[in-house]
Amino acid sequence: MNPVLKNTLAVIAGLFVGSIVNMSIILMSGSIIPPPDGADNTTMEGLQKTMHLFEPKHFIFPFLAHAIGTFSGALTTSLIAFNHRTKLGLIIGAFFLLGGIVSVCSLPSPMWFTVVDLVFAYIPMAYLAIKLVKRRV
């Protein structure tokens, strides 16, 4: 297979896998840690209006979704890529970081969560996935 095509497909697969993992964790989070009474987490507007009701425990699964989603996407890309595994894995991390920045700008969240999420959930998880693949290959 053409290396450019294989690398392109690796990035697409990483974005797809990472997004599926992220959304799966977000969707199951409400059944493990229920949202606060009166919180509407079905729409973006509802979340914006009721975000002040959320406690620190309600931010555990969003962080895990972002971190594990990024990790799985970067891992997938790095495993499939023909070459440039590090660059392509970091592209996945940067893509998810951009999504995290958009999320932080769209939804009001506590400053501690914003910092922890943006600093630890994206690029470090992509880097960890890349290092695991490099050990294996």
Side-chain angles (χ1 to χ4, degrees):
M1 180 182 285
N2 180 342
V4 174
L5 178 61
K6 188 168 184 179
N7 287 343
T8 302
L9 291 175
V11 169
I12 292 169
L15 292 173
F16 180 77
V17 168
S19 297
I20 295 296
V21 169
N22 184 327
M23 280 311 299
S24 298
I25 294 171
I26 291 293
L27 290 174
M28 76 174 191
S29 69
S31 62
I32 297 170
I33 300 176
D37 291 334
D40 175 19
N41 63 347
T42 58
T43 64
M44 189 69 91
E45 294 79 23
L47 271 174
Q48 288 172 339
K49 290 178 184 173
T50 58
M51 189 61 79
H52 67 280
L53 299 173
F54 284 68
E55 299 172 29
K57 68 181 181 181
H58 296 109
F59 293 96
I60 293 170
F61 275 92
F63 174 79
L64 289 175
H66 299 162
I68 297 170
T70 302
F71 178 86
S72 62
L75 185 71
T76 301
T77 296
S78 295
L79 284 171
I80 296 173
F82 180 79
N83 54 12
H84 304 293
R85 296 176 195 278
T86 301
K87 290 177 189 174
L88 297 175
L90 288 174
I91 285 172
I92 299 298
F95 178 83
F96 280 99
L97 175 62
L98 179 62
I101 292 169
V102 169
S103 175
V104 164
C105 292
S106 302
L107 287 171
S109 60
M111 184 56 72
W112 66 265
F113 176 74
T114 299
V115 171
V116 168
D117 192 50
L118 294 180
V119 171
F120 297 110
Y122 302 104
I123 301 302
M125 291 296 114
Y127 185 75
L128 179 62
I130 293 162
K131 286 299 175 192
L132 287 175
V133 168
K134 283 194 169 194
R135 270 193 191 162
R136 183 177 171 260
V137 175

mmCIF file with all atom_site columns, all heavy atoms in Angstrom, residues 84-98:
data_model
loop_
_atom_site.group_PDB
_atom_site.id
_atom_site.type_symbol
_atom_site.label_atom_id
_atom_site.label_alt_id
_atom_site.label_comp_id
_atom_site.label_asym_id
_atom_site.label_entity_id
_atom_site.label_seq_id
_atom_site.pdbx_PDB_ins_code
_atom_site.Cartn_x
_atom_site.Cartn_y
_atom_site.Cartn_z
_atom_site.occupancy
_atom_site.B_iso_or_equiv
_atom_site.pdbx_formal_charge
_atom_site.auth_seq_id
_atom_site.auth_comp_id
_atom_site.auth_asym_id
_atom_site.auth_atom_id
_atom_site.pdbx_PDB_model_num
ATOM 1   N N   . HIS A 1 84 ? 6.597   7.816  10.297 1.00 0.00 ? 84 HIS A N   1
ATOM 2   C CA  . HIS A 1 84 ? 6.248   9.068  10.994 1.00 0.00 ? 84 HIS A CA  1
ATOM 3   C C   . HIS A 1 84 ? 5.232   8.829  12.116 1.00 0.00 ? 84 HIS A C   1
ATOM 4   O O   . HIS A 1 84 ? 4.313   9.619  12.331 1.00 0.00 ? 84 HIS A O   1
ATOM 5   C CB  . HIS A 1 84 ? 5.703   10.120 10.027 1.00 0.00 ? 84 HIS A CB  1
ATOM 6   C CG  . HIS A 1 84 ? 6.615   10.428 8.896  1.00 0.00 ? 84 HIS A CG  1
ATOM 7   N ND1 . HIS A 1 84 ? 7.832   11.051 9.074  1.00 0.00 ? 84 HIS A ND1 1
ATOM 8   C CD2 . HIS A 1 84 ? 6.508   10.198 7.558  1.00 0.00 ? 84 HIS A CD2 1
ATOM 9   C CE1 . HIS A 1 84 ? 8.434   11.194 7.905  1.00 0.00 ? 84 HIS A CE1 1
ATOM 10  N NE2 . HIS A 1 84 ? 7.654   10.671 6.966  1.00 0.00 ? 84 HIS A NE2 1
ATOM 11  N N   . ARG A 1 85 ? 5.401   7.732  12.843 1.00 0.00 ? 85 ARG A N   1
ATOM 12  C CA  . ARG A 1 85 ? 4.458   7.367  13.900 1.00 0.00 ? 85 ARG A CA  1
ATOM 13  C C   . ARG A 1 85 ? 4.340   8.459  14.961 1.00 0.00 ? 85 ARG A C   1
ATOM 14  O O   . ARG A 1 85 ? 3.246   8.742  15.445 1.00 0.00 ? 85 ARG A O   1
ATOM 15  C CB  . ARG A 1 85 ? 4.884   6.056  14.556 1.00 0.00 ? 85 ARG A CB  1
ATOM 16  C CG  . ARG A 1 85 ? 4.843   4.877  13.629 1.00 0.00 ? 85 ARG A CG  1
ATOM 17  C CD  . ARG A 1 85 ? 5.387   3.620  14.315 1.00 0.00 ? 85 ARG A CD  1
ATOM 18  N NE  . ARG A 1 85 ? 5.694   2.575  13.370 1.00 0.00 ? 85 ARG A NE  1
ATOM 19  C CZ  . ARG A 1 85 ? 4.803   1.735  12.871 1.00 0.00 ? 85 ARG A CZ  1
ATOM 20  N NH1 . ARG A 1 85 ? 3.548   1.823  13.223 1.00 0.00 ? 85 ARG A NH1 1
ATOM 21  N NH2 . ARG A 1 85 ? 5.178   0.804  12.018 1.00 0.00 ? 85 ARG A NH2 1
ATOM 22  N N   . THR A 1 86 ? 5.468   9.045  15.337 1.00 0.00 ? 86 THR A N   1
ATOM 23  C CA  . THR A 1 86 ? 5.450   10.087 16.370 1.00 0.00 ? 86 THR A CA  1
ATOM 24  C C   . THR A 1 86 ? 4.676   11.309 15.903 1.00 0.00 ? 86 THR A C   1
ATOM 25  O O   . THR A 1 86 ? 3.792   11.810 16.614 1.00 0.00 ? 86 THR A O   1
ATOM 26  C CB  . THR A 1 86 ? 6.889   10.479 16.761 1.00 0.00 ? 86 THR A CB  1
ATOM 27  O OG1 . THR A 1 86 ? 7.561   9.313  17.236 1.00 0.00 ? 86 THR A OG1 1
ATOM 28  C CG2 . THR A 1 86 ? 6.897   11.544 17.833 1.00 0.00 ? 86 THR A CG2 1
ATOM 29  N N   . LYS A 1 87 ? 4.975   11.784 14.714 1.00 0.00 ? 87 LYS A N   1
ATOM 30  C CA  . LYS A 1 87 ? 4.288   12.963 14.186 1.00 0.00 ? 87 LYS A CA  1
ATOM 31  C C   . LYS A 1 87 ? 2.788   12.726 14.055 1.00 0.00 ? 87 LYS A C   1
ATOM 32  O O   . LYS A 1 87 ? 1.980   13.573 14.437 1.00 0.00 ? 87 LYS A O   1
ATOM 33  C CB  . LYS A 1 87 ? 4.857   13.349 12.821 1.00 0.00 ? 87 LYS A CB  1
ATOM 34  C CG  . LYS A 1 87 ? 6.245   13.910 12.856 1.00 0.00 ? 87 LYS A CG  1
ATOM 35  C CD  . LYS A 1 87 ? 6.728   14.195 11.444 1.00 0.00 ? 87 LYS A CD  1
ATOM 36  C CE  . LYS A 1 87 ? 8.198   14.558 11.459 1.00 0.00 ? 87 LYS A CE  1
ATOM 37  N NZ  . LYS A 1 87 ? 8.730   14.703 10.097 1.00 0.00 ? 87 LYS A NZ  1
ATOM 38  N N   . LEU A 1 88 ? 2.439   11.593 13.514 1.00 0.00 ? 88 LEU A N   1
ATOM 39  C CA  . LEU A 1 88 ? 1.019   11.304 13.293 1.00 0.00 ? 88 LEU A CA  1
ATOM 40  C C   . LEU A 1 88 ? 0.274   11.117 14.618 1.00 0.00 ? 88 LEU A C   1
ATOM 41  O O   . LEU A 1 88 ? -0.868  11.567 14.761 1.00 0.00 ? 88 LEU A O   1
ATOM 42  C CB  . LEU A 1 88 ? 0.858   10.087 12.389 1.00 0.00 ? 88 LEU A CB  1
ATOM 43  C CG  . LEU A 1 88 ? 1.413   10.264 10.971 1.00 0.00 ? 88 LEU A CG  1
ATOM 44  C CD1 . LEU A 1 88 ? 1.303   8.965  10.191 1.00 0.00 ? 88 LEU A CD1 1
ATOM 45  C CD2 . LEU A 1 88 ? 0.705   11.384 10.248 1.00 0.00 ? 88 LEU A CD2 1
ATOM 46  N N   . GLY A 1 89 ? 0.915   10.463 15.581 1.00 0.00 ? 89 GLY A N   1
ATOM 47  C CA  . GLY A 1 89 ? 0.289   10.324 16.902 1.00 0.00 ? 89 GLY A CA  1
ATOM 48  C C   . GLY A 1 89 ? 0.093   11.673 17.571 1.00 0.00 ? 89 GLY A C   1
ATOM 49  O O   . GLY A 1 89 ? -0.935  11.921 18.210 1.00 0.00 ? 89 GLY A O   1
ATOM 50  N N   . LEU A 1 90 ? 1.076   12.565 17.416 1.00 0.00 ? 90 LEU A N   1
ATOM 51  C CA  . LEU A 1 90 ? 0.936   13.905 17.993 1.00 0.00 ? 90 LEU A CA  1
ATOM 52  C C   . LEU A 1 90 ? -0.110  14.736 17.256 1.00 0.00 ? 90 LEU A C   1
ATOM 53  O O   . LEU A 1 90 ? -0.745  15.602 17.857 1.00 0.00 ? 90 LEU A O   1
ATOM 54  C CB  . LEU A 1 90 ? 2.290   14.618 18.011 1.00 0.00 ? 90 LEU A CB  1
ATOM 55  C CG  . LEU A 1 90 ? 3.285   14.073 19.037 1.00 0.00 ? 90 LEU A CG  1
ATOM 56  C CD1 . LEU A 1 90 ? 4.641   14.750 18.884 1.00 0.00 ? 90 LEU A CD1 1
ATOM 57  C CD2 . LEU A 1 90 ? 2.757   14.239 20.460 1.00 0.00 ? 90 LEU A CD2 1
ATOM 58  N N   . ILE A 1 91 ? -0.303  14.452 15.970 1.00 0.00 ? 91 ILE A N   1
ATOM 59  C CA  . ILE A 1 91 ? -1.384  15.127 15.241 1.00 0.00 ? 91 ILE A CA  1
ATOM 60  C C   . ILE A 1 91 ? -2.728  14.750 15.859 1.00 0.00 ? 91 ILE A C   1
ATOM 61  O O   . ILE A 1 91 ? -3.614  15.596 16.023 1.00 0.00 ? 91 ILE A O   1
ATOM 62  C CB  . ILE A 1 91 ? -1.333  14.782 13.737 1.00 0.00 ? 91 ILE A CB  1
ATOM 63  C CG1 . ILE A 1 91 ? -0.180  15.543 13.079 1.00 0.00 ? 91 ILE A CG1 1
ATOM 64  C CG2 . ILE A 1 91 ? -2.656  15.080 13.042 1.00 0.00 ? 91 ILE A CG2 1
ATOM 65  C CD1 . ILE A 1 91 ? 0.096   15.145 11.641 1.00 0.00 ? 91 ILE A CD1 1
ATOM 66  N N   . ILE A 1 92 ? -2.880  13.477 16.222 1.00 0.00 ? 92 ILE A N   1
ATOM 67  C CA  . ILE A 1 92 ? -4.117  13.049 16.887 1.00 0.00 ? 92 ILE A CA  1
ATOM 68  C C   . ILE A 1 92 ? -4.271  13.785 18.221 1.00 0.00 ? 92 ILE A C   1
ATOM 69  O O   . ILE A 1 92 ? -5.351  14.296 18.543 1.00 0.00 ? 92 ILE A O   1
ATOM 70  C CB  . ILE A 1 92 ? -4.123  11.521 17.108 1.00 0.00 ? 92 ILE A CB  1
ATOM 71  C CG1 . ILE A 1 92 ? -4.053  10.785 15.774 1.00 0.00 ? 92 ILE A CG1 1
ATOM 72  C CG2 . ILE A 1 92 ? -5.342  11.084 17.923 1.00 0.00 ? 92 ILE A CG2 1
ATOM 73  C CD1 . ILE A 1 92 ? -5.211  11.035 14.835 1.00 0.00 ? 92 ILE A CD1 1
ATOM 74  N N   . GLY A 1 93 ? -3.177  13.855 19.001 1.00 0.00 ? 93 GLY A N   1
ATOM 75  C CA  . GLY A 1 93 ? -3.222  14.586 20.265 1.00 0.00 ? 93 GLY A CA  1
ATOM 76  C C   . GLY A 1 93 ? -3.587  16.041 20.063 1.00 0.00 ? 93 GLY A C   1
ATOM 77  O O   . GLY A 1 93 ? -4.391  16.607 20.815 1.00 0.00 ? 93 GLY A O   1
ATOM 78  N N   . ALA A 1 94 ? -3.027  16.669 19.026 1.00 0.00 ? 94 ALA A N   1
ATOM 79  C CA  . ALA A 1 94 ? -3.325  18.079 18.745 1.00 0.00 ? 94 ALA A CA  1
ATOM 80  C C   . ALA A 1 94 ? -4.778  18.257 18.313 1.00 0.00 ? 94 ALA A C   1
ATOM 81  O O   . ALA A 1 94 ? -5.441  19.234 18.700 1.00 0.00 ? 94 ALA A O   1
ATOM 82  C CB  . ALA A 1 94 ? -2.382  18.609 17.673 1.00 0.00 ? 94 ALA A CB  1
ATOM 83  N N   . PHE A 1 95 ? -5.286  17.317 17.524 1.00 0.00 ? 95 PHE A N   1
ATOM 84  C CA  . PHE A 1 95 ? -6.680  17.393 17.099 1.00 0.00 ? 95 PHE A CA  1
ATOM 85  C C   . PHE A 1 95 ? -7.624  17.333 18.303 1.00 0.00 ? 95 PHE A C   1
ATOM 86  O O   . PHE A 1 95 ? -8.553  18.136 18.427 1.00 0.00 ? 95 PHE A O   1
ATOM 87  C CB  . PHE A 1 95 ? -7.010  16.263 16.123 1.00 0.00 ? 95 PHE A CB  1
ATOM 88  C CG  . PHE A 1 95 ? -8.436  16.254 15.680 1.00 0.00 ? 95 PHE A CG  1
ATOM 89  C CD1 . PHE A 1 95 ? -8.852  17.069 14.645 1.00 0.00 ? 95 PHE A CD1 1
ATOM 90  C CD2 . PHE A 1 95 ? -9.370  15.448 16.305 1.00 0.00 ? 95 PHE A CD2 1
ATOM 91  C CE1 . PHE A 1 95 ? -10.183 17.079 14.237 1.00 0.00 ? 95 PHE A CE1 1
ATOM 92  C CE2 . PHE A 1 95 ? -10.702 15.446 15.912 1.00 0.00 ? 95 PHE A CE2 1
ATOM 93  C CZ  . PHE A 1 95 ? -11.102 16.273 14.874 1.00 0.00 ? 95 PHE A CZ  1
ATOM 94  N N   . PHE A 1 96 ? -7.369  16.383 19.194 1.00 0.00 ? 96 PHE A N   1
ATOM 95  C CA  . PHE A 1 96 ? -8.221  16.266 20.375 1.00 0.00 ? 96 PHE A CA  1
ATOM 96  C C   . PHE A 1 96 ? -8.020  17.451 21.326 1.00 0.00 ? 96 PHE A C   1
ATOM 97  O O   . PHE A 1 96 ? -8.964  17.875 21.995 1.00 0.00 ? 96 PHE A O   1
ATOM 98  C CB  . PHE A 1 96 ? -7.998  14.930 21.079 1.00 0.00 ? 96 PHE A CB  1
ATOM 99  C CG  . PHE A 1 96 ? -8.724  13.797 20.413 1.00 0.00 ? 96 PHE A CG  1
ATOM 100 C CD1 . PHE A 1 96 ? -8.056  12.941 19.546 1.00 0.00 ? 96 PHE A CD1 1
ATOM 101 C CD2 . PHE A 1 96 ? -10.076 13.589 20.615 1.00 0.00 ? 96 PHE A CD2 1
ATOM 102 C CE1 . PHE A 1 96 ? -8.724  11.901 18.911 1.00 0.00 ? 96 PHE A CE1 1
ATOM 103 C CE2 . PHE A 1 96 ? -10.751 12.560 19.992 1.00 0.00 ? 96 PHE A CE2 1
ATOM 104 C CZ  . PHE A 1 96 ? -10.072 11.711 19.126 1.00 0.00 ? 96 PHE A CZ  1
ATOM 105 N N   . LEU A 1 97 ? -6.809  17.987 21.391 1.00 0.00 ? 97 LEU A N   1
ATOM 106 C CA  . LEU A 1 97 ? -6.577  19.195 22.184 1.00 0.00 ? 97 LEU A CA  1
ATOM 107 C C   . LEU A 1 97 ? -7.400  20.355 21.639 1.00 0.00 ? 97 LEU A C   1
ATOM 108 O O   . LEU A 1 97 ? -8.012  21.108 22.411 1.00 0.00 ? 97 LEU A O   1
ATOM 109 C CB  . LEU A 1 97 ? -5.088  19.559 22.193 1.00 0.00 ? 97 LEU A CB  1
ATOM 110 C CG  . LEU A 1 97 ? -4.718  20.880 22.883 1.00 0.00 ? 97 LEU A CG  1
ATOM 111 C CD1 . LEU A 1 97 ? -5.092  20.854 24.360 1.00 0.00 ? 97 LEU A CD1 1
ATOM 112 C CD2 . LEU A 1 97 ? -3.228  21.166 22.716 1.00 0.00 ? 97 LEU A CD2 1
ATOM 113 N N   . LEU A 1 98 ? -7.453  20.492 20.338 1.00 0.00 ? 98 LEU A N   1
ATOM 114 C CA  . LEU A 1 98 ? -8.280  21.531 19.728 1.00 0.00 ? 98 LEU A CA  1
ATOM 115 C C   . LEU A 1 98 ? -9.749  21.339 20.117 1.00 0.00 ? 98 LEU A C   1
ATOM 116 O O   . LEU A 1 98 ? -10.441 22.302 20.468 1.00 0.00 ? 98 LEU A O   1
ATOM 117 C CB  . LEU A 1 98 ? -8.121  21.511 18.209 1.00 0.00 ? 98 LEU A CB  1
ATOM 118 C CG  . LEU A 1 98 ? -8.935  22.532 17.437 1.00 0.00 ? 98 LEU A CG  1
ATOM 119 C CD1 . LEU A 1 98 ? -8.524  23.954 17.820 1.00 0.00 ? 98 LEU A CD1 1
ATOM 120 C CD2 . LEU A 1 98 ? -8.768  22.317 15.946 1.00 0.00 ? 98 LEU A CD2 1
#
